[in-house]
Amino acid sequence: MGGTVVRGRWWGETACGRGGVAVCHSGAVYREQEVWSTEAASGLVLPDGCLDLIWSERVGLLVAGPDTRGRRVDPGVASGRATGLRFAPGRGPVVVGVPAWELRDRLVPLAQVWPERTVRELAERVAGAVDPGAVLAGAAARRVAVVGPPEPWRAWAASALGRGCPVAEVARRLGLSERQLRRRCQVAFGYGPKTLARVLRMRRALGWARAGVPGAEVAVRAGYADQAHLSREVRGLAGVPLSALVAVRGPVS
């Protein structure tokens, strides 16, 4: 995470399993969680299907749920030093212990989700730590050790949808109806498979655009009908044009 972004986001074209770094069905490797930190941040948070566990020196421990549309950084978090632990899609709700849809488009105190005593003790450890991110990661690891790792289908579904696999095909391969898949995705990712696919496709497109790939080629690579379709989807999800996201990298996550 860099610059002035509070919740700088990352996403690959596969999803993860256990152990921090995972090899997925497609053979690609990436991390199931990452630590970020920043000072006096401001900017735009883009939807990405992720959930963050955040320590803010101003407001304490928070949980940021999956967003459905771009939003400005919360002023209370942005006004001081902050450290966060960002989970790959589908993993955060297992750690936090609530369905992702309950946190959709929300930034809430961790004490609304975890017991007050647990939150207070964790806050004290984080506040006094040289490496706050390591303390957050340790707390997450202990939670997973108790409740168990995410169900494998979550990683596979996110991977398949992220690669553009049709929802009907994802459901078929999982042995589910599309309605059943939608219910499961609401719990795991905060929204249905079609929305998750749209979000992940936008993230891929933004990555290519920032790498200098021309808009028309970005549209083809990401599976949009044309460049106009790409532009409409980005504006619909981010709230700003693709050109604005590419031009101003620092404050956009």
Side-chain angles (χ1 to χ4, degrees):
M1 176 166 179
T4 59
V5 186
V6 165
R7 292 171 62 201
R9 301 299 211 172
W10 57 271
W11 181 248
E13 293 199 22
T14 64
C16 58
R18 301 187 184 194
V21 175
V23 179
C24 306
H25 291 240
S26 65
V29 178
Y30 84 58
R31 296 174 183 174
E32 63 185 11
Q33 62 190 38
E34 71 169 3
V35 174
W36 55 261
S37 62
T38 190
E39 299 271 353
S42 63
L44 180 68
V45 177
L46 300 181
D48 62 0
C50 294
L51 183 150
D52 288 43
L53 179 59
I54 302 171
W55 161 255
S56 165
E57 66 177 0
R58 295 270 308 190
V59 294
L61 287 164
L62 307 163
V63 179
D67 296 304
T68 57
R69 184 175 171 82
R71 64 174 178 80
R72 292 293 165 183
V73 172
D74 183 271
V77 178
S79 59
R81 184 170 60 92
T83 299
L85 184 65
R86 180 171 311 108
F87 303 100
R91 179 175 174 82
V94 173
V95 175
V96 174
V98 298
W101 63 264
E102 291 189 12
L103 297 170
R104 183 173 55 230
D105 294 320
R106 297 180 66 197
L107 179 67
V108 303
L110 184 61
Q112 290 187 15
V113 182
W114 286 4
E116 240 179 79
R117 179 178 176 180
T118 301
V119 174
R120 184 171 62 252
E121 291 174 351
L122 178 58
E124 289 173 357
R125 292 201 304 272
V126 175
V130 175
D131 185 353
V135 177
L136 294 177
R142 288 190 294 274
R143 293 279 295 187
V144 172
V146 172
V147 303
E151 301 158 307
W153 76 266
R154 299 183 183 213
W156 185 86
S159 173
L161 291 167
R163 297 194 310 271
C165 187
V167 171
E169 179 65 11
V170 172
R172 186 188 69 79
R173 293 190 183 186
L174 290 173
L176 303 171
S177 68
E178 289 188 46
R179 181 175 296 181
Q180 289 172 324
L181 176 62
R182 186 176 189 281
R183 285 200 297 266
R184 288 195 180 195
C185 284
Q186 291 278 0
V187 171
F189 310 117
Y191 22 68
K194 290 183 180 179
T195 298
L196 180 62
R198 288 179 63 212
V199 165
L200 301 184
R201 180 167 62 171
M202 180 195 69
R203 302 298 304 202
R204 295 200 315 275
L206 179 57
W208 285 321
R210 284 176 168 169
V213 178
E217 186 177 343
V218 169
V220 172
R221 287 190 187 185
Y224 293 98
D226 51 31
Q227 191 169 349
H229 182 205
L230 164 65
S231 298
R232 289 195 302 273
E233 280 288 284
V234 171
R235 184 181 284 274
L237 288 168
V240 296
L242 177 62
S243 58
L245 299 180
V246 173
V248 186
R249 302 187 187 195
V252 180
S253 67

